[in-house]
Amino acid sequence: MSDIMKFEVENGIGVITINSPPVNALGVNARRAIAEGFEQAWADTSVNAIVLICDGRTFFAGADITEFGKPPQQPSLPELLEFIETSPVPSIAAIHGTALGGGLETALHCHYRIATPSAKAGLPEVNLGLLPGAGGTQRLPRIVGVPAALEIITSGRHVSAAEALSLGIFDALAEEGKLRENAISFALKIAEEDAPLVRVRDRQEHVEKHRGDQQIFDAFRKKNARKFRGFEAPERIIRCIEAATNLPYEEGVAEERRLFMELHDSIKSKAQRYVFFAERQTSKVPDIPKDAPKRDVNRVGVIGAGTMGGGIAMNFLNAGLPVTLIEQSQDALDRGLSVIRKNYENSAKKGRISGEQVEQRMALISPSTDYNDLADQDLIIEAVFETMPIKKDVFGKVDKIAKDGAILASNTSYLDLDEIAASTSRPQDVIGLHFFSPANVMPLLEIVRGQKTGTDLINTAMKLAKRIGKTPVLSRVCHGFIANRVMTVRGKQADAMILQGVSPEDIDRVIYDYGFAMGPFQMRDLVGLDVIGRGSNEKTVASELVARDRLGQKKNGGYYDYDENRKATLSPIAMDIIRDVASEKGLKHTPDADAQEIIARLLYPVVNEGARVLDEGVAIRASDIDIACIKGYNWPVYRGGPMFWADTVGLDKIVSKLNALEKEFGDAFTPSPFLVKLAAEGKKLSEVSL
Ligand code: 3H9
């Protein structure tokens, strides 16, 4: 007898209620409980229809992802769902929260579906590098048609109840808060009318329409080629929907099963499943319980209305929080405000927000040139010029004005937060909130914990990150914190390699093929070489390009020349500069590097630096470094981040290559003793946690 299932009969309707917190994932207990519920209902001759409903915050959120890769336990989800579909009496799924993946597939094996207006439905397996493996790819097209199924399953998006109703995924909507009683009434009506047992598998009208139509699939592939690049799941999803369109149901399901297993066993899906859990780990701090005290943040002050400050402010405005925006001069303030407005108006043009929302958000800004206007703010974030004297000056001023209990945050990317905190009388109230550019877009928020930062501040910052839609990663103080520190070494090696004669184009291509959106030199040209090279006095290729007024895409080209369509070709001027700088530095010429060598020389040092970051206790777990690189630098999610990827390459292989590179090129490659130790002990880097 299952303790997570309740079976009750009301007016001849058998109600099976499952309660398996936190999200009613369909692990073996839930699967057995559902089977037991249906058996009880079928055994009761007074039951004329069945309602399947969940307690807690949501209907089934999908298969239990923790079970993947472990020995299967009966019944499997497909077995269970085939079993419940044989119900001799109508079955109705009653949905609240999110019916996702296997959860929606369960509902699609019931005869009818009723949902609350706030419910959502989706097949998000693609985000785990998988495809819906319990009939979803065969059933959804039979309801919503081939084009909509292609879009919904390859995007994994959550479909609103209203859209699901219009697409036919849901048959009816319940009143909010009255799902159970409305579902019972719906079931009574179905039973009284003797309505047919609608099996989705039998529906043909939508798939028949496209039978033999290859063009619809090819066009979809072509349109999304860029978006799907590097991922394995989207192509297999398309093949499953082709099978749903062209083959009998049973054969389509067999194809779905085969392709699901291929993905399930792939490294890319393993990486994406790792990332799913890693993302949810980052807000867990060992010495800070979830219910630890936190401060209220209802009003935010942002100092600096430049690109960074403006972007930071937008995050809070988007979440409905009023922002006091401070600049030194009215001119700078006006410029900052007009950039924010332009960004919002662009979003409105793309249909992401309404014109009314643009005005609502702008109205939440109180622009000011007077620091005294920061007196009432709960959180004050500075985003001023990145030098210690300026930061200290700003913090000294803020310290005098901010109310007791206000959180004083710095957006510094490299500077010593403890030194900044020491310039105030309240270092326990100082924290780093490091946003990544563009701050309103990039999902990473590094939360920097100084020596004296209060634990309540960290707890507050973790919750705040979620409120503004960011993924928080906790870092201790060090030069560059986590993401910038580990990724900077990639840039340094890229610079070294071009001076040794390897073409920037080859490096960019290899990094792109690895899965990044672009290579390091393309990236610099895009961001602007003046921005990248700021603050360095050393003569470099970048500084020489800037000296010739080559600032990248925005002015005269950089490493590349650009035609009117922004098509890039390697610049002969840049190549001359590279040769000049190289000969001045007297560097060894080793131009023959294949893709493997480029990857080793650019990315193994990132792994190595990550190991140092862990060893020094800057990051509390390896997976936080992975999330920082994925969310802050677009490290390809299907590689799992540098730490996970290193495990797939093999730590011993990485250490021995680093040793060889150290011999050839010096101490930039010296392996971290921590990495060497892990490799010798046969341990996994991605599993390290302090
Ligand atoms: C699938 O269904 C395959 C089938 O097609 C075929 C099979 C043959 N399993 O996200 P939260 C945990 S694949 C195990 O913070 P929220 C999560 O780790 C699946 N655990 O909450 C966390 O644990 P902890 C397709 C899961 O309110 C806790 O629940 N489905 C699962 O922000 C709370 O999660 C999906 O991909 C799971 N399926 O968001 C949906 N889901 O507290 C995945 C969650 O220890 N889930 N946990 O850190 C989600 O998208 C979100 O969790 C959801 C709630 C929107 C449901």
Side-chain angles (χ1 to χ4, degrees):
M1 177 86 179
S2 168
D3 54 1
I4 60 166
M5 189 274 293
K6 201 164 58 185
F7 178 70
E8 296 151 308
V9 182
E10 247 181 83
N11 290 337
I13 304 301
V15 182
I16 303 166
T17 309
I18 304 291
N19 184 13
S20 178
V23 295
N24 289 308
L26 289 156
V28 64
N29 288 339
R31 298 196 300 271
R32 286 181 185 160
I34 295 170
E36 202 181 306
F38 273 85
E39 277 164 351
Q40 282 192 32
W42 295 339
D44 188 330
T45 49
S46 73
V47 168
N48 301 316
I50 298 167
V51 167
L52 176 63
I53 191 166
C54 289
D55 266 348
R57 62 203 232 208
T58 179
F59 192 72
F60 307 107
D64 184 340
I65 306 166
T66 60
E67 283 185 354
F68 291 138
K70 295 188 184 147
Q73 284 180 282
Q74 257 69 46
S76 69
L77 191 59
E79 283 164 352
L80 168 75
L81 299 188
E82 270 178 29
F83 176 69
I84 68 172
E85 198 180 39
T86 62
S87 180
V89 291
S91 59
I92 293 105
I95 297 168
H96 74 294
T98 39
L100 299 176
L104 179 58
E105 289 171 306
T106 303
L108 295 177
H109 281 76
C110 291
H111 300 115
Y112 297 93
R113 289 154 292 281
I114 179 169
T116 60
S118 59
K120 293 202 163 84
L123 294 171
E125 287 86 344
V126 69
N127 298 324
L128 300 166
L130 294 171
L131 55 82
T137 65
Q138 305 305 298
R139 285 170 187 256
L140 198 67
R142 285 178 155 78
I143 295 181
V144 304
V146 170
L150 282 168
E151 187 273 318
I152 291 172
I153 309 180
T154 58
S155 72
R157 78 180 164 93
H158 296 185
V159 177
S160 70
E163 189 185 351
L165 182 70
S166 74
L167 286 169
I169 300 173
F170 296 159
D171 300 293
L173 292 191
E175 253 179 274
E176 204 69 60
K178 291 197 174 159
L179 179 62
R180 191 176 188 279
E181 51 194 285
N182 287 180
I184 291 174
S185 307
F186 183 88
L188 274 168
K189 197 161 151 268
I190 296 284
E192 274 164 20
E193 287 171 0
D194 213 6
L197 300 181
V198 189
R199 296 192 317 168
V200 176
R201 62 154 69 197
D202 298 331
R203 293 181 54 178
Q204 292 299 326
E205 67 276 19
H206 287 299
V207 284
E208 243 166 25
K209 233 177 13 205
H210 293 287
R211 201 151 289 159
D213 177 1
Q214 189 54 39
Q215 203 270 335
I216 190 169
F217 299 103
D218 290 345
F220 188 77
R221 283 187 177 96
K222 203 167 155 210
K223 185 170 151 223
N224 293 286
R226 233 177 119 97
K227 194 163 122 206
F228 297 160
R229 181 177 72 92
F231 290 93
E232 286 170 0
E235 170 55 27
R236 284 169 177 75
I237 289 169
I238 298 170
R239 274 155 54 189
C240 284
I241 299 176
E242 281 184 279
T245 313
N246 296 321
L247 300 176
Y249 178 81
E250 298 296 348
E251 286 175 40
V253 160
E255 180 68 350
E256 177 192 88
R257 194 75 212 138
R258 191 180 69 75
L259 294 173
F260 176 85
M261 286 318 293
E262 257 180 45
L263 290 174
H264 174 273
D265 296 339
S266 71
I267 289 186
K268 288 186 178 176
S269 172
K270 283 181 191 148
Q272 286 181 259
R273 272 136 52 188
Y274 160 84
V275 170
F276 175 85
F277 289 111
E279 251 187 283
R280 284 160 177 79
Q281 280 290 307
T282 63
S283 57
K284 294 173 187 145
V285 185
D287 64 330
I288 307 179
K290 240 186 173 165
D291 54 359
K294 66 178 185 70
R295 300 186 193 181
D296 286 337
V297 177
N298 296 315
R299 302 180 58 81
V300 180
V302 175
I303 306 172
T307 314
M308 206 60 200
I312 292 173
M314 286 175 75
N315 288 299
F316 296 100
L317 302 172
N318 298 347
L321 286 164
V323 173
T324 298
L325 189 61
I326 303 281
E327 253 300 349
Q328 279 176 319
S329 71
Q330 191 59 43
D331 265 5
L333 201 51
D334 291 344
R335 265 198 310 277
L337 285 171
S338 80
V339 172
I340 296 178
R341 174 170 282 285
K342 212 168 106 207
N343 284 339
Y344 279 139
E345 282 171 354
N346 282 340
S347 298
K349 262 188 222 143
K350 288 178 191 151
R352 292 195 190 127
I353 55 172
S354 65
E356 199 185 333
Q357 280 171 312
V358 174
E359 297 314 321
Q360 276 165 0
R361 290 177 196 190
M362 290 307 294
L364 284 172
I365 311 179
S366 305
S368 170
T369 52
D370 184 358
Y371 269 59
N372 287 313
D373 289 334
L374 294 171
D376 278 345
Q377 311 304 320
D378 303 314
L379 164 69
I380 300 168
I381 309 174
E382 70 68 24
V384 300
F385 206 64
E386 183 81 352
T387 68
M388 187 55 91
I390 295 180
K391 299 270 188 204
K392 278 183 168 172
D393 178 54
V394 166
F395 270 80
K397 277 193 208 153
V398 170
D399 188 24
K400 290 200 186 77
I401 290 157
K403 67 179 180 187
D404 278 353
I407 300 173
L408 313 186
S410 172
N411 177 53
T412 180
S413 341
Y414 289 95
L415 298 174
D416 181 347
L417 186 77
D418 291 320
E419 200 181 328
I420 295 175
S423 68
T424 71
S425 61
R426 38 178 140 173
Q428 75 284 357
D429 292 341
V430 176
I431 193 167
L433 292 182
H434 181 209
F435 290 82
F436 285 71
S437 187
N440 54 320
V441 176
M442 294 303 284
L444 177 63
L445 177 63
E446 280 185 340
I447 296 177
V448 185
R449 180 179 193 167
Q451 300 259 353
K452 297 193 176 154
T453 306
T455 49
D456 58 335
L457 254 71
I458 294 163
N459 199 24
T460 307
M462 289 291 174
K463 304 262 171 2
L464 192 65
K466 199 159 183 187
R467 207 162 146 202
I468 61 171
K470 301 280 177 200
T471 306
V473 167
L474 189 67
S475 174
R476 284 280 184 191
V477 176
C478 71
H479 186 75
F481 313 118
I482 298 175
N484 282 351
R485 174 168 163 187
V486 302
M487 292 305 292
T488 298
V489 295
R490 186 189 77 166
K492 279 193 182 149
Q493 290 316 316
D495 282 336
M497 280 192 102
I498 58 170
L499 294 179
Q500 287 149 11
V502 180
S503 156
E505 218 170 8
D506 286 348
I507 292 176
D508 281 343
R509 200 198 51 251
V510 168
I511 292 297
Y512 176 80
D513 288 347
Y514 178 87
F516 283 93
M518 63 187 85
F521 300 106
Q522 291 163 326
M523 172 65 112
R524 288 179 196 184
D525 272 6
L526 183 70
V527 176
L529 291 162
D530 48 339
V531 178
I532 300 279
R534 213 183 266 161
S536 160
N537 296 323
E538 201 194 338
K539 180 171 174 183
T540 61
V541 174
S543 70
E544 287 304 289
L545 286 167
V546 173
R548 284 172 180 68
D549 208 23
R550 292 183 64 87
L551 306 185
Q553 286 200 27
K554 65 180 169 191
K555 199 167 177 201
N556 300 331
Y559 293 90
Y560 296 90
D561 290 322
Y562 296 87
D563 69 12
E564 59 282 4
N565 300 319
R566 284 212 254 161
K567 194 175 165 333
T569 42
L570 201 55
S571 154
I573 303 175
M575 292 309 283
D576 282 346
I577 294 176
I578 292 170
R579 270 187 292 272
D580 285 353
V581 176
S583 75
E584 255 180 56
K585 297 200 177 193
L587 285 164
K588 194 166 152 186
H589 198 66
T590 52
D592 300 321
D594 61 9
Q596 226 181 334
E597 180 70 10
I598 292 174
I599 289 293
R601 274 159 69 183
L602 262 58
L603 300 189
Y604 289 3
V606 176
V607 172
N608 200 26
E609 197 61 29
R612 288 202 185 97
V613 158
L614 269 178
D615 194 25
E616 292 167 20
V618 170
I620 50 179
R621 54 179 84 81
S623 60
D624 283 5
I625 302 175
D626 284 330
I627 295 301
C629 292
I630 291 168
K631 303 283 177 183
Y633 275 85
N634 289 324
W635 192 288
V637 62
Y638 55 77
R639 303 276 183 197
M643 308 285 102
F644 183 90
W645 172 69
D647 288 330
T648 67
V649 174
L651 298 189
D652 46 354
K653 189 174 155 198
I654 292 181
V655 168
S656 90
K657 180 67 182 173
L658 284 169
N659 281 326
L661 290 169
E662 182 190 16
K663 278 201 194 95
E664 199 174 351
F665 300 109
D667 59 10
F669 293 97
T670 309
S672 123
F674 184 60
L675 187 65
V676 174
K677 183 166 165 277
L678 286 177
E681 290 170 355
K683 292 208 172 123
K684 288 221 157 85
L685 184 54
S686 59
E687 286 171 5
V688 174
S689 169
L690 299 185

